Each structure stands twice: as structure tokens, then as C-alpha cells.
Amino acid sequence: MQVVATSRKEQGSSASRRLRRAGQVPGIVYGGTAEPTTISIEHNPLYHALRVQAFHSSILDLELDGKTEKVLLRDVQWHPYKPVVLHIDFQRVAAGERLTVKVPLQFVNQDVSPAVKLSAAIISHVVNEVEINCLPQDLPSFIEVDLGKLEVGQAVHVNDLKLPDGVTLAAHGTENPVLVTVIVPAAGKDDDSEEGAAEEPKK
């Protein structure tokens, strides 16, 4: 995916407000051996790009003043109540340096699992993303979680994930957090029939 940006010299809150009024988003590119560079990006194409899941966890081609470099989205600041991007941060990516980044989980086969088909259970997604470590060329857009064999009484933990080659989980000590739980709704009681049985006269 490609992002087109322009370097800018003016900085500060006043300069940022002028950019936003002109339909631009102020931002910064940092990392690597180069100095941090302040940039501006056209708002509307950026807004639509941010609605694509892969934009948040993929290596992007940033075209800056005619030159292209590899970057990773690191932070986005949104307006508190308007669909407006206020600021964006990108990190330069070097081919031989490992990255630590959060990627989304993609849950599949939930509806055909024994928990749902046989027990009408409710599958709850406790966590929707995980932090991984890998080289840029191994970075996945998402990690698939197959729930096709999930049964009542089971849960899916982070250590149960099948990771792509070259990808490891970021270190979190000995923690093994739950990703998915199974909840079986309580059976409803027929209160009317119970009351009727209680009021039935003795013979």
C-alpha cells in the first residue's frame, strides 16, 4: 500500500491548524539513520486508507518528495467526535531489523464449531489483536484463529495460536492470556407451569 506525503518546514500548533484547514494532515516520519521528518498528507485519501485493516499492520510505501521508503504506521490521532484525522506517525523500516508490532486476529469457522452447533454457545472474543516480533518481510496482515473445533468448556489462549514462519509472540513473561471464551446461555424456566403445578389442589 502506498502513501503520498510532502515534507514541511513549519511546525507548531498554528501551522498544524492551517494544514488541517487546507485539507492536510500533519505527521512525522522517524526511525532509521535519518533525522525525523515532519510531513503533510492529503486528508481524504488517508482517511479512507485508515479504514482498511491491512493499512494498520502492513509495510507501507511512503512516497515523500519523489522518493519512496518503507514505513510502518505507528500512531493516529483522531478528532474526539468528528471523523477527522488530526496527526499521524510513521516509523521507517529497515529490511534486516526486527519489528515489534500489533496485528489483528481474524476468527474463522466460529459458526460451525461444536460449541455453537451442538450447544448454542456464545463465542466471546476477549482479545482482537496480539503483539508479535518479526522481520519486515515476514510481517502478516493478520493472524488467523480457527475456531472450528472449539467445544463447550474450552478456551483459546495466546499460546494456542499457530504463527506464520518467522513470527514470534512478543515477550510477556509467563502470561498466557485468554483470546476466546465459550459461554452457554442459562436455560430459561417456565415460570407459569411451575406456578400452576404449585397451585394444583391435592387429591
Side-chain angles (χ1 to χ4, degrees), residues 149-177:
K149 296 182 179 179
L150 192 63
E151 298 183 1
V152 171
Q154 294 182 331
V156 179
H157 293 76
V158 69
N159 288 346
D160 298 323
L161 292 176
K162 293 182 179 179
L163 301 174
D165 291 340
V167 176
T168 59
L169 292 169
H172 292 288
T174 58
E175 294 182 8
N176 186 22

Side-chain angles (χ1 to χ4, degrees), residues 18 36 106 112 118 137 164-165 190:
R18 286 194 295 271
Q106 187 173 92
V112 299
L118 302 181
Q137 63 267 27
D165 291 340
D190 189 346

Side-chain angles (χ1 to χ4, degrees), residues 80-137:
Y81 55 88
K82 296 180 181 179
V84 175
V85 186
L86 298 180
H87 195 276
I88 193 160
D89 294 2
F90 295 101
Q91 179 185 351
R92 295 185 183 94
V93 171
E97 294 183 5
R98 297 184 71 85
L99 301 169
T100 298
V101 61
K102 291 182 179 180
V103 296
L105 299 174
Q106 187 173 92
F107 301 95
V108 298
N109 297 326
Q110 174 174 305
D111 294 339
V112 299
S113 67
V116 173
K117 292 191 70 175
L118 302 181
S119 304
I122 298 172
I123 307 298
S124 176
H125 303 163
V126 181
V127 176
N128 291 305
E129 62 180 14
V130 291
E131 193 170 43
I132 62 169
N133 186 271
C134 65
L135 291 171
Q137 63 267 27

